[in-house]
Amino acid sequence: MERIVVTLAEQIIKWKTNKTNVLPSEILMVKPDKIMIHDIFIPFVVEKFYEMGFEKVFDPDRIVIIFDHLVPAAKAEDIRHFKIAHEFIEKQGIKNVHESDGICHQLMHEQGYVKPGDIVFGTDSHTVTYGALGVFSSGLGYTDIASIIGTGETWIKVPETIRIKIDGSLPKGVYAKDVILKIIGDIGADGASYKAIEFVGSTVEAMSISSRLTMSNMVVEAGAKVGLFYPDEKTCRYADVSNDILTKFQLEDSASTIKVLEYKAEEFVPVAAIPSNVDNVKAIKELDEIKVDQVFIGSCTNGRLEDLEVAASILQGKRISKNVKLVVTPASREVYEMAATNGYLETFVKAGAIITHPGCGLCCGRGGGIVGDNEVLVATNNRNFLGRMGSESSKTYLVSPAVAALSAIKGFLTYE
């Protein structure tokens, strides 16, 4: 073993396994710091857990159970998930439980469950979101999760790394969502399969934690195992940890990566992922006028306070087009309360929007706002797959909160 650890993914794994060095493609056993289970998969995790012969979870304090996709219940069969979850929670003595408090990928970092340098797994592919805080986090299937909560460990293959370097200042009207969509379009839906993506450069350093979360959230749309930002002082303040941890994770310019993609921030423009693939990304200015039936602002990608602030600033004093429905879904109860305090919710109401309870909502196709045949949806979430959010003949365009708000006002897809 000759290679010195230099990428962030390798540094985290090295630290957590107490190894002096690790190599890409090496198989190692790790002990996750947290395991997140959401309401959709809890029945399947529980079934596999007992089927494997386990009786007690390895550590109830390392498990977080979140009800977010199915609350409030939209179908009678959803109640089964709640019943099984409640029985398991009581029997296992699990205290970290959130019902109707918001989306799992918002709550995990908002409530302090994840910290820089942690290894975290969850029953949802967008568990990669926490990489914004320097967390090696990824989604796993319910069989793997059942095994982990029984044994307290699992194996991983050390991923190779793709480095994304972005320097400069983003133009007005361009946001993190535009940046990550452009990158996914360049890499392709499978261009980073089981790879770590790490983001570096002056643009990245200037980004807020919210913007970084948007970026990490979507790396899985290129197949990535994790999407990582090097922790900095912003990270430490947000995660409420000492700056001392910054000495453990240092950016090495000479990192041995399989690919480096370099971007100039000034060249980014407002874009949309057009139906029905996330990597089918086009500059909005290059598209013909597209009439919009509904707009959705929310999800674990763009439902945070910063996103709502951007949308509210555009909608302030305006009304949405009479032919458009606008659904706004805050990512968490805390975001909802802060948006109310700051007047954003009032702005949305006066503009003609429908504000829903915090949660996954329309993104997972279970909440109110399902789109009908041949309707066009402009949305801030992370996937536009065929039929995901309603009729299979509907079309979904993924955009930033700014483009979503502007499109709601104009009645057609626009960035100005």
Side-chain angles (χ1 to χ4, degrees):
M1 184 177 287
E2 299 179 355
R3 187 171 179 274
I4 298 174
V5 174
V6 282
T7 71
L8 182 51
E10 293 163 359
Q11 289 178 48
I12 295 171
I13 295 169
K14 169 192 169 186
W15 183 42
K16 286 298 182 177
T17 57
N18 293 315
K19 292 178 68 70
T20 57
N21 196 12
V22 299
L23 293 175
S25 299
E26 185 178 1
I27 306 295
L28 297 170
M29 295 299 293
V30 296
K31 299 180 185 297
D33 296 277
K34 286 290 188 296
I35 302 95
M36 187 280 296
I37 309 171
H38 62 31
D39 50 7
I40 284 184
F41 281 111
I42 188 68
F44 312 113
V45 172
V46 171
E47 179 183 12
K48 287 295 180 183
F49 177 80
Y50 291 124
E51 186 179 293
M52 291 175 182
F54 298 117
E55 290 296 330
K56 296 293 291 182
V57 298
F58 82 102
D59 183 352
D61 292 336
R62 292 199 184 194
I63 299 169
V64 185
I65 295 180
I66 299 175
F67 299 73
D68 60 354
H69 284 62
L70 306 180
V71 289
K75 297 184 177 181
E77 55 263 33
D78 294 347
I79 307 303
R80 167 179 170 267
H81 293 249
F82 307 155
K83 183 176 183 296
I84 293 172
H86 290 146
E87 290 175 352
F88 188 73
I89 289 165
E90 183 176 356
K91 183 174 182 179
Q92 299 296 332
I94 297 169
K95 301 293 192 300
N96 303 320
V97 179
H98 294 271
E99 296 195 49
S100 306
D101 287 335
I103 308 171
C104 56
H105 306 310
Q106 177 69 17
L107 296 174
M108 286 297 288
H109 55 81
E110 178 187 279
Q111 298 300 315
Y113 290 119
V114 297
K115 304 293 184 182
D118 280 355
I119 294 179
V120 178
F121 296 111
T123 54
D124 188 274
S125 59
H126 292 107
T127 301
V128 291
T129 304
Y130 327 142
L133 302 181
V135 177
F136 188 102
S137 57
S138 197
L140 295 177
Y142 55 81
T143 301
D144 288 316
I145 293 296
S147 173
I148 294 172
I149 64 174
T151 65
E153 61 182 5
T154 190
W155 65 270
I156 60 170
K157 182 173 74 171
V158 180
E160 297 174 307
T161 294
I162 297 172
R163 175 171 287 178
I164 308 292
K165 189 173 189 291
I166 313 169
D167 286 308
S169 299
L170 293 173
K172 183 179 179 181
V174 175
Y175 298 87
K177 184 63 164 293
D178 299 298
V179 175
I180 190 59
L181 285 175
K182 166 64 175 170
I183 291 169
I184 292 168
D186 290 346
I187 294 177
D190 60 352
S193 293
Y194 210 100
K195 304 295 189 295
I197 292 179
E198 63 176 38
F199 297 99
V200 302
S202 62
T203 310
V204 167
E205 292 168 3
M207 282 183 174
S208 66
I209 295 298
S210 180
S211 292
R212 296 177 191 182
L213 289 162
T214 294
M215 300 273 284
S216 288
N217 175 268
M218 292 199 66
V219 298
V220 72
E221 312 309 333
K225 184 68 174 175
V226 292
L228 296 166
F229 285 74
Y230 284 82
D232 58 13
E233 291 184 0
K234 290 180 190 176
T235 314
C236 294
R237 285 195 300 272
Y238 183 85
D240 193 24
V241 297
S242 168
N243 286 353
D244 292 346
I245 198 168
L246 301 182
T247 61
K248 298 183 182 299
F249 308 111
Q250 298 292 318
L251 171 63
E252 297 284 351
D253 291 332
S254 60
S256 180
T257 59
I258 60 168
K259 184 185 296 184
V260 177
L261 298 179
E262 298 190 19
Y263 293 89
K264 295 179 180 178
E266 292 79 9
E267 296 178 355
F268 284 97
V269 298
V271 298
I274 67 176
S276 291
N277 295 292
V278 183
D279 62 347
N280 190 4
V281 179
K282 305 291 184 186
I284 296 174
K285 64 183 178 182
E286 297 174 358
L287 300 174
D288 294 333
E289 184 172 297
I290 299 165
K291 179 181 176 296
V292 175
D293 297 291
Q294 184 166 298
V295 174
F296 170 55
I297 299 174
S299 84
C300 57
T301 315
N302 284 127
R304 285 174 289 280
L305 189 67
E306 180 179 289
D307 305 311
L308 301 188
E309 180 182 14
V310 169
S313 69
I314 293 169
L315 288 161
Q316 180 69 45
K318 297 182 175 63
R319 290 283 299 182
I320 63 175
S321 173
K322 64 179 181 180
N323 297 318
V324 173
K325 297 183 291 293
L326 171 59
V327 177
V328 179
T329 303
S332 71
R333 190 177 299 277
E334 182 175 302
V335 170
Y336 193 109
E337 292 173 351
M338 293 173 69
T341 299
N342 292 349
Y344 306 153
L345 299 191
E346 182 180 2
T347 295
F348 294 138
V349 170
K350 288 183 175 179
I354 301 166
I355 302 172
T356 76
H357 60 280
C360 295
L362 182 56
C363 178
C364 65
R366 302 285 287 206
I370 300 300
V371 288
D373 291 344
N374 301 311
E375 286 193 324
V376 171
L377 171 68
V378 168
T380 66
N381 58 300
N382 42 49
R383 286 179 178 159
N384 60 350
F385 301 156
L386 192 67
R388 175 180 173 88
M389 300 161 79
S391 169
E392 290 187 1
S393 65
S394 65
K395 295 178 174 63
T396 300
Y397 293 78
L398 303 180
V399 300
S400 72
V403 169
L406 288 164
S407 299
I409 294 168
K410 297 293 184 67
F412 56 87
L413 181 60
T414 183
Y415 64 98
E416 58 185 4

